Amino acid sequence: MTRASLDKQPHEVASMFDDVAANYDLTNDVLSLGQARLWRKEVAKAVDARPAQKVLDLAAGTATSSLPFAATGAYVVPCDFSIGMLKVGKARHPHLPLTAGDATKLPFKDDTFDAVTISFGLRNVQDTDAALRELFRVTRPGGRVVICEFSQPTWKPFRTVYTEYLMRALPPVATAVSSNPDAYVYLAESIRAWPDQPALAAKLQRAGWSKVAWRNLTGGVVALHRGYKPQ
């Protein structure tokens, strides 16, 4: 079993997700206390995919996150660099064009997509700024980005409780439900080390995105960031 370190070497991260692919969606539902499905619904609203639009769902894993976009009639491309995740996703959703790709070197032409989105994956990319620039490159002028990622709870007492849950309660729960509990220890550590809402917004702006804003979900446990590519 593989556990990635916080320097996020791509081969380690990919191998770690290969290990947990089979039960990944179920494990996420358990560890998030059922909130993961609510977060996916909010992402779908924020992306606001329309029929015939092209949507890139980066770090799509098993493509569960891509289904709401496909349901609107949009052409959605689930993309991930974990081959294990993609194999599970292709078996479950053979109609979707699952694509292997590195977030820092996307296999798409400039100005391809109307919307690009990544949920709970940007935190695992070794070079966050390069990934944001790549998302910008493949988005058409006037297109939009939506990022859903763990963030910093806004209420300090809750933030303390949340941090304790991540580092103390999450590992034993993961041991009970996951094939690779060490992977979830890494995930907890990576959440603690991740930039807060304003810092991620600043990264988006530096990558070229305009009209950057965010909205907190579950008290800031998760934040939705959105931006637009200038026309």
PDB file of all heavy atoms in Angstrom, residues 211-225:
ATOM      1  N   LYS A 211     -12.789  38.043 -11.791  1.00  0.00           N
ATOM      2  CA  LYS A 211     -14.050  37.935 -11.045  1.00  0.00           C
ATOM      3  C   LYS A 211     -14.024  36.748 -10.077  1.00  0.00           C
ATOM      4  O   LYS A 211     -15.004  36.007  -9.939  1.00  0.00           O
ATOM      5  CB  LYS A 211     -15.246  37.808 -11.987  1.00  0.00           C
ATOM      6  CG  LYS A 211     -15.393  38.971 -12.956  1.00  0.00           C
ATOM      7  CD  LYS A 211     -16.570  38.746 -13.896  1.00  0.00           C
ATOM      8  CE  LYS A 211     -16.706  39.842 -14.928  1.00  0.00           C
ATOM      9  NZ  LYS A 211     -17.788  39.595 -15.896  1.00  0.00           N
ATOM     10  N   VAL A 212     -12.894  36.565  -9.415  1.00  0.00           N
ATOM     11  CA  VAL A 212     -12.735  35.422  -8.513  1.00  0.00           C
ATOM     12  C   VAL A 212     -13.521  35.662  -7.223  1.00  0.00           C
ATOM     13  O   VAL A 212     -13.443  36.733  -6.623  1.00  0.00           O
ATOM     14  CB  VAL A 212     -11.238  35.192  -8.195  1.00  0.00           C
ATOM     15  CG1 VAL A 212     -11.072  34.104  -7.139  1.00  0.00           C
ATOM     16  CG2 VAL A 212     -10.482  34.836  -9.469  1.00  0.00           C
ATOM     17  N   ALA A 213     -14.263  34.668  -6.821  1.00  0.00           N
ATOM     18  CA  ALA A 213     -15.043  34.746  -5.577  1.00  0.00           C
ATOM     19  C   ALA A 213     -15.153  33.348  -4.998  1.00  0.00           C
ATOM     20  O   ALA A 213     -14.886  32.354  -5.678  1.00  0.00           O
ATOM     21  CB  ALA A 213     -16.435  35.331  -5.849  1.00  0.00           C
ATOM     22  N   TRP A 214     -15.559  33.269  -3.732  1.00  0.00           N
ATOM     23  CA  TRP A 214     -15.761  31.956  -3.142  1.00  0.00           C
ATOM     24  C   TRP A 214     -16.981  31.969  -2.245  1.00  0.00           C
ATOM     25  O   TRP A 214     -17.455  33.013  -1.815  1.00  0.00           O
ATOM     26  CB  TRP A 214     -14.526  31.498  -2.353  1.00  0.00           C
ATOM     27  CG  TRP A 214     -14.275  32.210  -1.061  1.00  0.00           C
ATOM     28  CD1 TRP A 214     -14.823  31.951   0.162  1.00  0.00           C
ATOM     29  CD2 TRP A 214     -13.394  33.333  -0.862  1.00  0.00           C
ATOM     30  NE1 TRP A 214     -14.337  32.828   1.102  1.00  0.00           N
ATOM     31  CE2 TRP A 214     -13.462  33.683   0.500  1.00  0.00           C
ATOM     32  CE3 TRP A 214     -12.559  34.072  -1.715  1.00  0.00           C
ATOM     33  CZ2 TRP A 214     -12.727  34.734   1.033  1.00  0.00           C
ATOM     34  CZ3 TRP A 214     -11.830  35.115  -1.179  1.00  0.00           C
ATOM     35  CH2 TRP A 214     -11.913  35.433   0.171  1.00  0.00           C
ATOM     36  N   ARG A 215     -17.479  30.758  -1.998  1.00  0.00           N
ATOM     37  CA  ARG A 215     -18.617  30.560  -1.104  1.00  0.00           C
ATOM     38  C   ARG A 215     -18.301  29.380  -0.199  1.00  0.00           C
ATOM     39  O   ARG A 215     -17.845  28.331  -0.669  1.00  0.00           O
ATOM     40  CB  ARG A 215     -19.879  30.272  -1.922  1.00  0.00           C
ATOM     41  CG  ARG A 215     -21.129  30.053  -1.097  1.00  0.00           C
ATOM     42  CD  ARG A 215     -22.376  30.209  -1.961  1.00  0.00           C
ATOM     43  NE  ARG A 215     -22.442  29.227  -3.017  1.00  0.00           N
ATOM     44  CZ  ARG A 215     -23.055  28.039  -2.901  1.00  0.00           C
ATOM     45  NH1 ARG A 215     -23.634  27.707  -1.752  1.00  0.00           N
ATOM     46  NH2 ARG A 215     -23.102  27.197  -3.913  1.00  0.00           N
ATOM     47  N   ASN A 216     -18.539  29.537   1.089  1.00  0.00           N
ATOM     48  CA  ASN A 216     -18.255  28.474   2.050  1.00  0.00           C
ATOM     49  C   ASN A 216     -19.412  27.488   2.132  1.00  0.00           C
ATOM     50  O   ASN A 216     -20.582  27.872   2.105  1.00  0.00           O
ATOM     51  CB  ASN A 216     -17.992  29.066   3.433  1.00  0.00           C
ATOM     52  CG  ASN A 216     -16.688  29.828   3.502  1.00  0.00           C
ATOM     53  OD1 ASN A 216     -15.673  29.361   2.982  1.00  0.00           O
ATOM     54  ND2 ASN A 216     -16.701  30.994   4.122  1.00  0.00           N
ATOM     55  N   LEU A 217     -19.066  26.224   2.257  1.00  0.00           N
ATOM     56  CA  LEU A 217     -20.034  25.167   2.498  1.00  0.00           C
ATOM     57  C   LEU A 217     -19.682  24.499   3.828  1.00  0.00           C
ATOM     58  O   LEU A 217     -18.505  24.379   4.177  1.00  0.00           O
ATOM     59  CB  LEU A 217     -19.998  24.123   1.380  1.00  0.00           C
ATOM     60  CG  LEU A 217     -20.219  24.617  -0.050  1.00  0.00           C
ATOM     61  CD1 LEU A 217     -20.079  23.456  -1.030  1.00  0.00           C
ATOM     62  CD2 LEU A 217     -21.588  25.272  -0.200  1.00  0.00           C
ATOM     63  N   THR A 218     -20.715  24.063   4.551  1.00  0.00           N
ATOM     64  CA  THR A 218     -20.513  23.378   5.840  1.00  0.00           C
ATOM     65  C   THR A 218     -19.584  24.185   6.741  1.00  0.00           C
ATOM     66  O   THR A 218     -18.601  23.682   7.288  1.00  0.00           O
ATOM     67  CB  THR A 218     -19.964  21.946   5.619  1.00  0.00           C
ATOM     68  OG1 THR A 218     -20.661  21.326   4.529  1.00  0.00           O
ATOM     69  CG2 THR A 218     -20.167  21.088   6.870  1.00  0.00           C
ATOM     70  N   GLY A 219     -19.872  25.477   6.839  1.00  0.00           N
ATOM     71  CA  GLY A 219     -19.127  26.336   7.749  1.00  0.00           C
ATOM     72  C   GLY A 219     -17.684  26.583   7.360  1.00  0.00           C
ATOM     73  O   GLY A 219     -16.870  26.959   8.208  1.00  0.00           O
ATOM     74  N   GLY A 220     -17.357  26.373   6.084  1.00  0.00           N
ATOM     75  CA  GLY A 220     -15.991  26.581   5.638  1.00  0.00           C
ATOM     76  C   GLY A 220     -15.145  25.321   5.615  1.00  0.00           C
ATOM     77  O   GLY A 220     -13.971  25.375   5.244  1.00  0.00           O
ATOM     78  N   VAL A 221     -15.727  24.185   6.010  1.00  0.00           N
ATOM     79  CA  VAL A 221     -15.014  22.910   5.853  1.00  0.00           C
ATOM     80  C   VAL A 221     -14.623  22.737   4.388  1.00  0.00           C
ATOM     81  O   VAL A 221     -13.538  22.255   4.053  1.00  0.00           O
ATOM     82  CB  VAL A 221     -15.892  21.734   6.324  1.00  0.00           C
ATOM     83  CG1 VAL A 221     -15.290  20.390   5.895  1.00  0.00           C
ATOM     84  CG2 VAL A 221     -16.055  21.779   7.839  1.00  0.00           C
ATOM     85  N   VAL A 222     -15.523  23.168   3.517  1.00  0.00           N
ATOM     86  CA  VAL A 222     -15.300  23.144   2.070  1.00  0.00           C
ATOM     87  C   VAL A 222     -15.601  24.536   1.524  1.00  0.00           C
ATOM     88  O   VAL A 222     -16.487  25.230   2.028  1.00  0.00           O
ATOM     89  CB  VAL A 222     -16.219  22.091   1.406  1.00  0.00           C
ATOM     90  CG1 VAL A 222     -16.296  22.267  -0.098  1.00  0.00           C
ATOM     91  CG2 VAL A 222     -15.735  20.689   1.753  1.00  0.00           C
ATOM     92  N   ALA A 223     -14.854  24.944   0.516  1.00  0.00           N
ATOM     93  CA  ALA A 223     -15.118  26.223  -0.152  1.00  0.00           C
ATOM     94  C   ALA A 223     -15.228  25.998  -1.656  1.00  0.00           C
ATOM     95  O   ALA A 223     -14.487  25.193  -2.234  1.00  0.00           O
ATOM     96  CB  ALA A 223     -14.021  27.230   0.146  1.00  0.00           C
ATOM     97  N   LEU A 224     -16.179  26.689  -2.252  1.00  0.00           N
ATOM     98  CA  LEU A 224     -16.328  26.712  -3.709  1.00  0.00           C
ATOM     99  C   LEU A 224     -15.737  28.017  -4.227  1.00  0.00           C
ATOM    100  O   LEU A 224     -16.224  29.094  -3.898  1.00  0.00           O
ATOM    101  CB  LEU A 224     -17.813  26.654  -4.106  1.00  0.00           C
ATOM    102  CG  LEU A 224     -18.530  25.320  -4.112  1.00  0.00           C
ATOM    103  CD1 LEU A 224     -19.975  25.529  -4.558  1.00  0.00           C
ATOM    104  CD2 LEU A 224     -17.838  24.328  -5.020  1.00  0.00           C
ATOM    105  N   HIS A 225     -14.696  27.921  -5.032  1.00  0.00           N
ATOM    106  CA  HIS A 225     -14.118  29.096  -5.682  1.00  0.00           C
ATOM    107  C   HIS A 225     -14.531  29.105  -7.149  1.00  0.00           C
ATOM    108  O   HIS A 225     -14.567  28.056  -7.797  1.00  0.00           O
ATOM    109  CB  HIS A 225     -12.591  29.059  -5.596  1.00  0.00           C
ATOM    110  CG  HIS A 225     -12.045  29.456  -4.266  1.00  0.00           C
ATOM    111  ND1 HIS A 225     -12.178  28.671  -3.144  1.00  0.00           N
ATOM    112  CD2 HIS A 225     -11.341  30.573  -3.870  1.00  0.00           C
ATOM    113  CE1 HIS A 225     -11.591  29.261  -2.115  1.00  0.00           C
ATOM    114  NE2 HIS A 225     -11.079  30.413  -2.524  1.00  0.00           N
TER     115      HIS A 225
END
